[in-house]
Amino acid sequence: MKGLIHSFESAGTVDGPGIRFVIFVQGCHLRCLYCHNPDSWHLKHGHEYSVDQVIEEAKKYRTYMRFSNGGVTITGGEPFFQHEFTGEILRRLKELSIHTAVDTSGFCNLNIARPILENVDMVLLDIKSFLPDVYMRVAYRPIEPTIKFARYLQEINKRTWVRFVLVPGLTDDPKNIKGVASFITGMQNVEKVEVLPFHKLGEYKWEELGYKYRLKNTQLPKPEDVHKAKQIFINHGLQLH
Ligand code: SF4
């Protein structure tokens, strides 16, 4: 089976535990205003790889993975966009007893995602916002699939780290942050939360692709604002990354 890959990262340290081989798959339904990989949205931009080739790439880094309790993370783009390709890569990785993670927005068809999740050890779940109108403004898609996905992860007790991007003037309303925090509080499967300060590292890609970068004039969050956002999660009894 073949699929389209955006890129690989051989020694990732931020996308799950330990040192990880990170696979960026091509394709995403969302259009997040702060996306730093807008070149991953459409299938026309990817590089074709077979599952065998991807697995061979991943296997080169097994020693690092083993020594660091790491593994492989599939991100993107959106891992569930090319669901058959992603599903087969994960199945093969589990056959090799390699730890697997997916970094997803949860915007997917749950019927398709369910069997794929059987070969996933942990999920990095990006919750863009809790207020539905803000979610729509950030990602141009509705929040409901993410909520359903998160509830399913809770139901199957899948180890999960939640990620939340703090964007001044967009996601930083305390009501919004408290909404995310209250939603995940009490989910036994959520181990920790990561507050990611908005950055503009992907801005040049938007320009190269001829897309309008709407956050051009948005300020980066101040350290004290990041601290306040983190404090909201801590006050809800959640552990931070
Ligand atoms: S879900 Fe990720 S890849 Fe897709 S648009 Fe949002 S930030 Fe970009």
Side-chain angles (χ1 to χ4, degrees):
M1 183 188 296
K2 288 184 174 177
L4 291 163
I5 295 284
H6 172 275
S7 54
F8 297 117
E9 188 184 339
S10 54
T13 53
V14 295
D15 294 309
I19 297 176
R20 310 194 70 82
F21 181 68
V22 185
I23 303 169
F24 294 80
V25 286
Q26 197 70 21
C28 185
H29 290 289
L30 271 55
R31 295 291 178 266
C32 301
L33 292 175
Y34 50 69
C35 183
H36 56 266
N37 279 333
D39 51 340
S40 72
W41 292 347
H42 299 289
L43 295 181
K44 63 182 177 190
H45 289 127
H47 309 281
E48 194 176 85
Y49 275 80
S50 67
V51 172
D52 285 343
Q53 286 173 311
V54 174
I55 297 296
E56 284 312 307
E57 278 300 311
K59 276 164 70 177
K60 290 181 194 165
Y61 305 95
R62 275 180 101 173
T63 316
Y64 298 107
M65 295 177 203
R66 228 180 264 137
F67 282 124
S68 66
N69 286 326
V72 172
T73 298
I74 305 188
T75 179
E78 164 56 54
F80 292 106
F81 192 96
Q82 298 180 70
H83 56 88
E84 288 174 344
F85 185 51
T86 294
E88 186 56 15
I89 294 170
L90 289 164
R91 193 188 67 73
R92 294 276 300 276
L93 290 169
K94 286 324 293 173
E95 266 180 11
L96 295 165
S97 301
I98 292 175
H99 181 274
T100 57
V102 289
D103 176 14
T104 174
S105 69
F107 189 93
C108 60
N109 179 331
L110 206 44
N111 290 332
I112 286 171
R114 270 190 201 104
I116 296 175
L117 284 167
E118 287 172 18
N119 289 315
V120 173
D121 292 308
M122 71 170 296
V123 174
L124 309 173
L125 178 63
D126 305 303
I127 302 186
K128 315 281 179 190
S129 160
F130 192 70
L131 301 175
D133 58 320
V134 177
Y135 196 101
M136 183 58 93
R137 265 170 54 214
V138 172
Y140 287 88
R141 292 293 180 274
I143 190 174
E144 285 75 15
T146 301
I147 298 289
K148 268 195 201 161
F149 186 83
R151 293 216 165 103
Y152 180 66
L153 295 180
Q154 180 186 19
E155 191 186 315
I156 60 171
N157 200 27
K158 184 69 71 184
R159 183 183 180 198
T160 298
W161 293 0
V162 167
R163 292 174 144 180
F164 174 75
V165 180
L166 187 72
V167 190
L170 195 61
T171 65
D172 63 343
D173 184 336
K175 216 165 67 180
N176 190 34
I177 304 170
K178 282 178 193 163
V180 177
S182 309
F183 176 62
I184 57 180
T185 296
M187 288 187 176
Q188 298 300 324
N189 60 314
V190 174
E191 250 177 34
K192 48 188 164 184
V193 180
E194 198 175 0
V195 176
L196 303 166
F198 160 65
H199 63 72
K200 298 186 185 181
L201 299 178
E203 183 177 355
Y204 76 97
K205 291 191 188 173
W206 286 67
E207 281 160 10
E208 276 175 11
L209 290 162
Y211 303 152
K212 185 171 179 189
Y213 190 66
R214 293 177 197 279
L215 299 182
K216 205 174 211 11
N217 298 321
T218 300
Q219 301 295 312
L220 303 186
K222 298 191 190 89
E224 56 266 35
D225 296 334
V226 177
H227 177 76
K228 274 188 210 154
K230 288 183 175 175
Q231 201 55 49
I232 292 176
F233 288 105
I234 291 169
N235 292 346
H236 280 74
L238 295 157
Q239 200 182 322
L240 286 182
H241 190 56

